[in-house]
């Protein structure tokens, strides 16, 4: 999945999950498009989401519905300006000298190469799959081109924007971080090219002679150093390294060089070395960062949250398998609730067909079981998790249904049981220990049902 496709899928999901009034798509339209995609054949999660988003984008009730839903990014002009500055800095660093002689050891080549080798080695290390560094958030927030809502929570559009940012911001920041690394590598290569251009441009209008002087290197040491530095460039270009001229090119503090050498052969070697040790590695690193960037969308779609979203979408399409009966106890039946219960049934039976919904009257469980038609092998009982589980009511109901299934001689004599926590989660949403309360509540339900031949969904 490309990044553009992921953003479009996230737009659709954000609007779908926050547009309660159906201003963009009605529930029937969402269900129809999902069924259209799923029934065309077995599709992967990313294919399902991309095709569905593409169809929904063309069937929106309001034009321009997703124009404001855009992840943060840097303007192109800022990147281009940075590259131009890098080229100018490289040009400035390549000053060949104030006089007609240039000191080979004073050119910035060595520092540029050492700096680039360190960066290249660090760039080859695995990039953490966690959140992007904090500085990326600060940088993007200063030049973020997203419109700012005065009170995002007060309008449907603002709520949709918040949901979209929750779905994409982490991936967008990580993508920006990797792209920034690629831009940085390109900038380093451009800086090297600027240095090369500067050396040749200055050499065009003025003849330079090459010398060297150093406090640390003697003549033999200089030969060994330049041999090590320029051997790769010499091998690639076929140009020899004039090492035999170095003793005569040695300039001292109080003595001029006996015979300064021609600068052009050394400029050629300098340029080739920058190309081999800076431009080429940086270009390869750009490809590496681009590869890492392309995997961000796939990593997001493969996360548990997006997989669960795809599962919810698939669950609205009846499968080719047998149908199922969903029994609920202490729960009101509405469209959103039935969608949740169908998702639970689909989680249990991936090919589940049509679903028959029944509500077990609280206080009349015995009469309901006595008049219930045959449940078949696929039966899901959903309890309201907010209720207090009692052996005389909920456990008795499960045992009665199990006995009924045995009497019906169903192929599978066990019952699938689920807890609907929608009401309870809403009630405890403001509590810091809400999740712990939910876990404790679920444990109390399992304690009441302990020992029964049921399958917890």
């Amino acid at each position: 999945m490309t990044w553009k496709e992921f953003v479009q899928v996230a737009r659709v999901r954000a609007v779908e999950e926050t547009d309660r009034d159906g201003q963009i798509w009605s529930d029937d339209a969402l269900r129809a498009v999902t069924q259209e995609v799923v029934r065309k054949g077995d599709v992967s999660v990313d294919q399902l989401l991309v095709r569905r988003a593409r169809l929904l984008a063309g069937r929106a009730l309001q034009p321009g519905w997703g124009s404001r839903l855009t992840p943060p990014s840097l303007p192109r002009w800022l990147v281009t300006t940075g590259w131009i500055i890098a080229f100018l800095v490289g040009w400035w660093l390549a000053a060949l000298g104030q006089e007609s002689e240039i000191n080979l050891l004073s050119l910035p080549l060595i520092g540029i190469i050492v700096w680039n080798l360190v960066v290249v080695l660090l760039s080859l290390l695995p990039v953490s799959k966690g959140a992007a560094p904090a500085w990326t958030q600060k940088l993007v927030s200063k030049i973020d081109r997203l419109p700012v809502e005065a009170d995002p929570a007060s309008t449907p559009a603002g709520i949709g924007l918040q949901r979209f940012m929750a779905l994409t911001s982490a991936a967008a920041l990580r993508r920006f971080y990797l792209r920034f690394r690629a831009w940085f590598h390109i900038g380093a290569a451009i800086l090297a090219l600027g240095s090369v251009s500067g050396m040749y441009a200055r050499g065009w209008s003025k003849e330079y002679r090459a010398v060297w002087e150093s406090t640390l290197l003697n003549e033999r040491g200089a030969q060994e150093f330049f041999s090590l530095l320029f051997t790769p460039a010499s091998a690639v270009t076929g140009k020899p390294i004039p090492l035999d001229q170095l003793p005569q090119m040695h300039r001292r503090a109080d003595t001029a060089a006996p015979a300064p050498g021609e600068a052009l052969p050394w400029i050629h070697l300098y340029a080739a070395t920058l190309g081999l040790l800076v431009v080429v590695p940086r270009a390869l690193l750009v490809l590496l960062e681009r590869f890492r960037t392309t995997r961000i969308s796939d990593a997001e779609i493969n996360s548990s949250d997006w997989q669960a979203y795809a599962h919810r979408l698939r669950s609205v399409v009846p499968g080719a398998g047998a149908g199922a009966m969903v029994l609920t106890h202490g729960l009101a039946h509405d469209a959103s609730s039935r969608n949740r219960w169908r998702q639970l049934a689909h989680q249990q039976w991936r090919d589940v067909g049509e679903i028959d919904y029944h509500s077990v009257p609280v206080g009349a469980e015995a009469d309901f079981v006595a008049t219930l038609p045959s449940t078949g092998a696929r039966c899901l009982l959903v309890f309201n998790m907010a209720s207090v589980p009692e052996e005389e009511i909920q456990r008795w109901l499960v045992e009665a249904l199990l006995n009924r299934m045995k009497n019906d001689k169903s192929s599978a004599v066990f019952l699938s049981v689920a807890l609907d926590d929608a009401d309870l989660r809403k009630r405890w949403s403001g509590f810091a220990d809400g999740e712990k309360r939910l876990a404790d509540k679920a444990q109390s339900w399992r304690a009441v049902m302990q020992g029964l031949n049921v399958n917890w969904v």
Side-chain angles (χ1 to χ4, degrees):
M1 178 183 293
T2 66
W3 176 251
K4 184 177 180 180
E5 290 172 338
F6 172 72
V7 170
Q8 183 69 356
V9 168
R11 287 193 185 108
V12 169
R13 180 179 175 183
V15 173
E16 178 185 5
E17 293 179 346
T18 58
D19 181 24
R20 303 303 183 189
D21 299 330
Q23 297 181 5
I24 308 301
W25 301 291
S26 65
D27 290 340
D28 291 339
L30 292 171
R31 187 178 299 106
V33 169
T34 304
Q35 292 176 348
E36 180 180 344
V37 175
V38 173
R39 286 174 174 170
K40 283 186 177 180
D42 187 22
V43 292
S44 61
V45 169
D46 56 341
Q47 290 174 332
L48 166 66
L49 299 180
V50 170
R51 294 177 186 178
R52 180 175 180 271
R54 189 179 298 122
L55 290 175
L56 287 173
R59 302 180 188 182
L61 298 178
Q62 296 182 10
W65 59 274
S67 59
R68 295 180 63 257
L69 304 181
T70 306
S73 62
L74 290 180
R76 178 66 63 180
W77 65 265
L78 189 61
V79 179
T80 305
T81 302
W83 291 342
I84 294 174
I85 293 174
F87 183 86
L88 295 177
V89 169
W91 182 287
W92 173 76
L93 288 175
L96 295 182
Q98 299 299 324
E99 302 174 357
S100 297
E101 290 185 344
I102 60 171
N103 182 356
L104 297 180
L105 292 177
S106 68
L107 289 178
L109 171 72
I110 300 170
I112 293 176
I113 290 176
V114 172
W115 170 61
N116 276 273
L117 288 178
V118 172
V119 173
V120 167
L121 292 176
L122 293 177
S123 299
L124 292 176
L125 297 176
V127 179
S128 173
K129 296 182 180 181
W135 62 264
T136 59
Q137 174 69 58
K138 295 179 181 179
L139 177 60
V140 171
S141 64
K142 292 182 180 300
I143 46 180
D144 187 358
R145 54 190 178 88
L146 275 176
V148 178
E149 287 283 333
D151 186 7
S154 65
T155 63
I159 296 173
L161 178 60
Q162 282 189 325
R163 181 58 180 149
F164 175 77
M165 294 304 296
L167 291 171
T168 61
S169 59
L173 286 176
R174 179 169 173 77
R175 181 174 182 266
F176 165 78
Y177 172 58
L178 293 177
R179 284 168 60 85
F180 185 88
R181 288 162 62 105
W183 297 333
F184 184 74
H185 294 316
I186 294 174
I190 291 176
L191 186 147
L193 293 176
S195 296
V196 171
S197 302
M199 286 191 295
Y200 280 110
R202 291 181 175 91
W204 173 264
S205 59
K206 189 173 184 179
E207 181 180 1
Y208 286 92
R209 308 297 292 178
V211 298
W212 65 276
E213 60 178 332
S214 173
T215 301
L216 302 180
L217 294 179
N218 55 26
E219 294 175 355
R220 181 175 181 81
Q223 288 178 321
E224 294 176 352
F225 173 78
F226 284 114
S227 175
L228 177 65
L229 181 63
F230 292 132
T231 292
S234 177
V236 171
T237 61
K239 296 184 178 297
I241 309 173
L243 298 176
D244 56 327
Q245 300 178 15
L246 287 175
Q248 298 298 314
M249 295 165 54
H250 189 182
R251 183 177 66 186
R252 293 175 173 81
D254 54 354
T255 307
E262 294 184 13
L264 187 59
W266 297 100
I267 292 177
H268 287 327
L269 291 172
Y270 266 71
T273 301
L274 283 173
L276 286 175
L277 301 184
V278 178
V279 177
V280 172
R282 292 290 189 160
L284 295 177
L285 287 175
V286 169
L287 297 178
L288 175 62
E289 301 299 351
R290 287 181 62 86
F291 171 73
R292 289 170 171 170
T293 303
T294 58
R295 299 179 64 183
I296 291 178
S297 301
D298 293 334
E300 286 294 312
I301 292 300
N302 289 327
S303 67
S304 58
D305 177 62
W306 280 97
Q307 293 293 313
Y309 171 68
H311 166 69
R312 293 197 299 271
L313 296 179
R314 290 185 191 274
S315 69
V316 305
V317 182
M325 179 179 290
V326 173
L327 309 177
T328 65
H329 185 265
L331 290 163
H333 283 226
D334 54 37
S336 60
S337 298
R338 290 196 175 195
N339 282 339
R340 289 200 307 275
W341 304 333
R342 179 167 184 87
Q343 292 162 21
L344 294 174
H346 184 266
Q347 181 179 340
Q348 182 68 11
W349 308 288
R350 293 289 180 172
D351 63 342
V352 65
E354 297 295 336
I355 293 182
D356 190 15
Y357 297 94
H358 294 272
S359 177
V360 182
V362 177
E365 291 84 1
D367 294 338
F368 177 85
V369 174
T371 59
L372 182 68
S374 176
T375 61
R378 294 180 170 183
C379 183
L380 173 65
L381 175 59
V382 184
F383 287 110
N384 187 346
M385 191 175 178
S387 302
V388 178
E390 300 180 43
E391 293 191 6
E392 296 80 3
I393 300 177
Q394 286 86 354
R395 183 182 177 91
W396 179 91
L397 177 59
V398 172
E399 291 175 335
L401 288 172
L402 286 172
N403 291 331
R404 178 62 186 273
M405 294 174 70
K406 291 179 182 178
N407 295 334
D408 291 341
K409 297 181 180 180
S410 300
S411 57
V413 188
F414 68 89
L415 184 66
S416 295
V417 178
L419 297 175
D420 190 321
D421 66 352
D423 293 341
L424 202 58
R425 188 173 291 276
K426 184 184 300 183
R427 185 187 308 172
W428 289 344
S429 61
F431 292 86
D433 60 344
E435 291 299 326
K436 183 179 183 302
R437 291 189 179 198
L438 289 171
D440 293 341
K441 189 72 171 180
Q443 184 59 37
S444 67
W445 274 91
R446 287 181 172 83
V448 170
M449 302 295 178
Q450 187 174 7
L452 295 178
N453 184 27
V454 297
N455 178 42
W456 284 94
V457 181

